[in-house]
Amino acid sequence: MLLRFSAEFELQLSLWQQAKLLRPLDVALLRALPQAATLPEPLLLYLMLASSQLAQGHLCLDLQSAATEPLQLLPLALRERRQSQLLLQFCFEHPPSQVAAALAQYPALIANDTCAGEQPFVLKGQRLYLRRYAQDEAVIADFIASRREADKALRQQLDPGSVRQMLAMLFPASNDDIDWQQQACALAASSYFAVITGGPGTGKTTTVLKLLLLLLQQAADGLHIVLAAPTGKAAARLTESLAQSRPKLAAALPQLANLLPQLPQRAQTVHRLLAPKPDGSGFRYHAGQPLPADVVIVDEASMLDVSLFAALVRALPPQCRLILLGDKDQLASVEAGAVLAEICRHAEAGGYSADSAQWLEALTSQVLPPAFLSSRPDPLDQQVVMLRHSHRFGADSGIGQLARAVNNGAPQTLPWLQQLSANVDQQHDVAVQLLSTQQPGPGVCASLRPWLNPYLDLLQIPVDAAEADQQALLLHQQLTQVQLLCAVRQGPAGVETMNQALEQYLAQQHLIKRQGGWYHGRPVIVLQNDYSTGLMNGDIGICLSVQGAAQSGQTELRVAFLQPDEQQGYKVRWFLPGRLPPLESAFALTVHKSQGSEFQHAILLLPPSDSPVLTRELIYTAITRAKSRFSLYLTDWQVLGAAIGRQIVRNGGLRLD
């Protein structure tokens, strides 16, 4: 039986839902709990808020943070509404310590600072969680702490001289005072858990390959190494990067040729690695049946949500190393939590202890500058290394400068871009185009036409079944040369509108021939993992009219997806359109969907009006998808300024436990 509250409290709940401070789901949760009837009604608001915070990406309701900055609890779009502010003031009129003490008096509903038991809520200090997320966070914290303790024994087993000799071979003397790639290898080689973070082009993939060579050289009986990423697109990109880097390593390090065949050839998604059960009840691999692995490396770890991360660490055997790679400043996971960002919170400053610095010096013969040491070191910082030198973007690179400026919220970012927009003839790897209308579709389509011409020209060549694989590969390669990225899904500048506008424009120009939803040349993106076909969320395909593909010898529409291949680099997999999982056209992609991808030319389209999803992290992520050119299309400079000033803040307690 669902609980009914007093008339006054029901009115209060109605106001909170109208102000979007609570969702109907949050209220329904408490109505369904018989234990909730024992709580004073004002305290129930805190439990409902703990649930509602998941929609904002928070893992918990941080009472202290809420009392200090209550507006952080609101969706970004509502933080200026006076009604919402007044309701928040009403809720947080009592000191956090007093509220926490009051909540702790109801152990039938709220577990006190422990994840044991069956209570639906957990109170840890002044942080109030739903049980599931408290358990997931505790699993991660316990894993990191246990690996840190195991590191002490691991370092006693290592021969510093042997490691130092191998590192010197892998990293010949450079002009840099500190070779951060070498530091990352040294730290990860002597740790059961390590994080290597850095921006685009800082060499995370190269670093991890050299690290694996070091680990293989130190292992007497070989290693079972697993590579993974949160999405299919990120896994494919990691596979591609490894395939490109391996020949360079072979040429640079011929003395290690015997180790190169032992390097892993392919990455997979974390979900596939853990093997989901067909009934959706969990994963095949877990604490009772751990993964058969000695080393697990996860790329693009910023996209790992707390629940998937917890499932992964539960499945690792005790002596298995876990190494995370990722850019701490990119967009966090769609689900609640920002694990990588929380772990790497102090990565810029270093924060190393004297013991850590001495250990790294013993392995690398490099002395860390005092600026990177801390008199009060955090244990978690001893497991993180940040790569700081971009090999893709030089000091004069506009893309690199823009990414750093946006990431730092630099006030000179807008004037610099405004100057670029005024000098349209200036040769630069960053360009700005001002759109004069609130309906940007036609202008964007016309502007994109020259960049799409090479792809459209290839589509004019008939696709014969005998040559279909080669033509599909060429089209895929050309498609990644330029990509339109949208900040939002809906609205005049949303990905749905822009895909429709581009398809209509190309059809009017007689560049494509639409046949219902499917047509020759249609790029598509998969929207969810599909293990029956092997297609993953984020995979890109191209629909082609293949002559002689059907048994009758007639032309047939088929969709070509690329799959990494050990010998050829890529091989093409063909599917009939009706066999594919849910997907949509991909002339335009959301920035979220583009994570894990790289394009020669990335174009970001901002909406004409501000939106709560426009954040510093989103702009930075879009910029860093570009390898050689970045273009920004916008209608209003204020929209960009608001986005750069808006940071994603997610409450969690990983660093507090």
Side-chain angles (χ1 to χ4, degrees), residues 312-432:
L312 174 62
V313 301
R314 284 187 181 103
L316 296 182
Q319 299 302 312
C320 180
R321 299 174 190 260
L322 176 62
I323 299 162
L324 303 182
L325 307 176
D327 187 342
K328 65 181 179 62
D329 299 312
Q330 283 189 28
L331 282 167
S333 62
V334 176
E335 303 297 328
V339 179
L340 186 72
E342 196 167 1
I343 292 173
C344 297
R345 186 181 300 166
H346 306 148
E348 191 84 37
Y352 298 110
S353 67
D355 288 343
S356 294
Q358 290 171 7
W359 175 254
L360 291 173
E361 181 182 355
L363 298 184
T364 66
S365 301
Q366 295 180 345
V367 180
L368 288 178
F372 295 107
L373 304 184
S374 173
S375 58
R376 300 179 61 186
D378 186 320
L380 193 50
D381 295 333
Q382 314 313 302
Q383 296 167 284
V384 179
V385 174
M386 179 175 173
L387 307 182
R388 300 162 191 273
H389 176 67
S390 176
H391 301 276
R392 184 189 305 169
F393 306 127
D396 59 346
S397 160
I399 296 176
Q401 292 180 50
L402 179 59
R404 287 190 294 272
V406 168
N407 196 25
N408 295 328
Q412 69 270 24
T413 306
L414 256 61
W416 180 61
L417 289 173
Q418 289 168 339
Q419 184 179 8
L420 278 182
S421 69
N423 299 318
V424 293
D425 296 329
Q426 183 178 355
Q427 293 296 316
H428 208 286
D429 60 348
V430 174
V432 180

Side-chain angles (χ1 to χ4, degrees), residues 596-617:
S597 301
E598 290 181 345
F599 311 100
Q600 290 296 329
H601 181 188
I603 302 171
L604 173 62
L605 172 63
L606 292 182
S609 57
D610 196 15
S611 166
V613 304
L614 298 180
T615 63
R616 182 180 304 177
E617 290 81 1

